[in-house]
Amino acid sequence: MNPIDATLKEIEEWRSGRVWGRKRIARLAGVHPDTIPAWAMLPDCPIKQIGGRYFTMRDALITWLTAK
């Protein structure tokens, strides 16, 4: 993927509020990517694993993190 397409994809994800992948979720949360699978197992965590990939909604994750 060229840099322009990657940037457009990130902009679209930001606008939609969808965040896909351990690395992007971890970057948003300010943690290491290895933390994401452990968090996803917590019953109240908004991170889900769909088709082998991790997914969350940005606002739901921020709300969950600030409540901790």
Side-chain angles (χ1 to χ4, degrees):
M1 179 179 300
N2 69 49
I4 293 173
D5 288 340
T7 301
L8 291 174
K9 183 177 180 182
E10 285 187 20
I11 290 169
E12 177 54 32
E13 285 182 0
W14 181 259
R15 290 178 68 203
S16 70
R18 295 182 301 258
V19 184
W20 284 95
R22 287 186 323 143
K23 289 180 182 178
R24 287 192 175 146
I25 295 170
R27 187 174 18 168
L28 175 63
V31 298
H32 193 275
D34 291 343
T35 305
I36 302 308
W39 280 4
M41 294 177 67
L42 299 172
D44 63 334
C45 181
I47 300 170
K48 306 299 176 205
Q49 190 173 15
I50 301 172
R53 291 185 69 200
Y54 290 92
F55 167 82
T56 192
M57 294 299 290
R58 182 182 63 249
D59 292 343
L61 180 62
I62 292 170
T63 300
W64 182 75
L65 290 169
T66 56
K68 295 289 173 191

